[in-house]
Amino acid sequence: MKISLLAGKPAPPGILVDVPRLIAAYYTGVPDPAVPAQRVAFGTSGHRGSSFNLAFNEAHVLAITQAICLYRARQKISGPLFLGIDTHALSAPACATALEVLAANQVEVMIAEGDDYTPTPVISHAILTYNRGRKTGLADGIVITPSHNPPHDGGFKYNPPNGGPADKTVTGWIEAKANALLETHLEGVKRMPYERALRAPTTHRHDYLKAYVNDLGNVINMDVIRSAKLRLGVDPLGGAGVHYWARIAERHALDLTVVNDAVDPTFRFMTVDWDGQIRMDPSSPYAMARLIGMKDRFDLSFACDTDHDRHGIITPDDGLLPPNHFLAVAISQLFQNRPKWTKKAAIGKTAVSSAMIDRVTAKLGRKLYEVPVGFKWFVDGLLDGSLGFGGEESAGASFLRLDGSVWTTDKDGFIPCLLAAEITARTGRNPGEIYRGLTQEFGEPFYDRVEAPATPWQKAVLAKLSLEQIKLTELAGEKIEAMHTRAPGNHVALGGVKVVTASGWFAARPSGTEDIYKIYAESFRDEAHLRKILEEAQTVVSAALTKDATPKMAPLSPAPHQKTAREAVETWENEGDPN
């Protein structure tokens, strides 16, 4: 990947988004559903795009919201819908549009007091809190956010009554219905003026902040943090959690400083990401350069992305920890310090996360539940407690409450940050120090991810890559132990391929949100071995994607059954660990 000369530097005025033009384009742009890039498309985390290129306009939001109303009626979801937004420029206009449709459809809607921003995990928490003990009249939610995407993007996510990201069955139905509405010029969309929608008897105010902040002591040991008197710093990166952190500090008596509480839809206070764009990614050392520069002011500092479902942890000695490092530390510490969690609770990871997690899991004597990319695969396990933890290499995670019951079924950026403080307070060592201890015990991994542009055709080819197309018996000088096109944990298609040896692996897959493909690789030997793995992986991908190739688009062998986390644990107990 070519690193921009602007990477890690303050954003120059010339790259800031023109907010008035962006919002004008939202209202005036008319997408053409005959153009694939202008249709509704739910990727790994909702529908995303920019109004500038007719990918996120009022018509999209009208169609998606009406489709969700129809889905709710079809599924007899009659409880309240919890509606939240982040701080992207397109989020507030999209929220107004969505409310006009929801009110016209007589949906009971819960919006934030004071029109405050509402993080993704807070919506999940609200849904689950409302639904606890209920069998009927269940709640669901919408979060209007493109996550950490650049300021010109908008996004729209639906969370069904399980509180987590909707699975493909749900999003597929909503997507198809929304596109059908676009094709009929929005015929059938119900709508009322915004001022009427605000005053509608079905529109209610909800104190999201108080409910979430007051409950944090049931998932994190706040007493331990408070007693240690740690100096904590946090940068909300101008995101939806901007008003939450000060209340967390006040409610739980923590020495926590919010280093930047600015909200600006241009995000001009950010340092530029690796590719020359502004991106609120707490796992990027370029986007986090400002907070990294403050690392010596605090015992621990952290940040979250714009909708606060991803985390970044900074220590004085190590700077920004790679997400894989903290995931391994979090798992190691959680499963040794949560005595009320069931001994059967498994550990969930995505297939592209570090194999250090596999080694830590084995040492703990727990089941590893390895799934494709996408937090939706952890929802059922977190909900029923068969998963104690679910995490992604892209810095998304959630875990159970102290008593072993569900906290959120969507990614939560707050609790990994607070867990880092709990770990530091309890052990006297920060997560970077603990990770170095893990490398002494299990070996030091070298991990990297590379990205490259890909056409829709190339992405489709890579997603359907068959094992027969991979002419390898060795990888970087080692015998191949396994090749997967389905995840070992739940038997679901990876949408790509993963090749594993005794001391390394690579995985290749198309992006679910951008026209790129990604190659992930890891070596437990050294940097040179990692580069060799990446080189050979690139050869495999290039051969599959060449225009002269006629790759077999053979269907995957049918999986007998998509396994839930609970079923995977039962199989492990009865037949031994299949991973």
Side-chain angles (χ1 to χ4, degrees), residues 251-265:
R251 172 65 178 80
H252 300 284
L254 305 182
D255 182 2
L256 185 151
T257 301
V258 179
V259 301
N260 177 26
D261 61 2
V263 175
D264 179 340

Side-chain angles (χ1 to χ4, degrees), residues 335 338-348 361 364-369 381 384-389 400 404 565-574:
F335 283 83
R338 293 296 188 266
K340 293 184 179 180
W341 287 12
T342 172
K343 298 298 183 185
K344 294 183 179 180
I347 293 163
T361 300
L364 292 168
R366 297 280 178 160
K367 159 70 183 174
L368 182 69
Y369 185 62
D384 66 18
S386 55
L387 282 180
F389 179 97
L400 299 179
R566 183 171 294 280
E567 290 170 332
V569 170
E570 289 172 353
T571 299
W572 183 62
E573 289 176 336
N574 295 331

Side-chain angles (χ1 to χ4, degrees), residues 227-271:
S227 299
K229 294 181 169 52
L230 295 176
R231 291 173 296 115
L232 306 173
V234 62
D235 188 344
L237 300 184
V242 65
H243 298 141
Y244 280 67
W245 287 104
R247 287 285 292 274
I248 289 171
E250 178 187 358
R251 172 65 178 80
H252 300 284
L254 305 182
D255 182 2
L256 185 151
T257 301
V258 179
V259 301
N260 177 26
D261 61 2
V263 175
D264 179 340
T266 67
F267 294 89
R268 67 179 69 241
F269 46 76
M270 291 294 300
T271 48

Side-chain angles (χ1 to χ4, degrees), residues 230-234 295 298-302 313-316 417 420-422 424 430-431:
L230 295 176
R231 291 173 296 115
L232 306 173
V234 62
K295 64 185 178 63
F298 305 104
D299 297 310
L300 202 65
S301 47
F302 26 77
I313 311 297
I314 294 173
T315 71
C417 294
E422 180 192 325
T424 304
N430 67 47

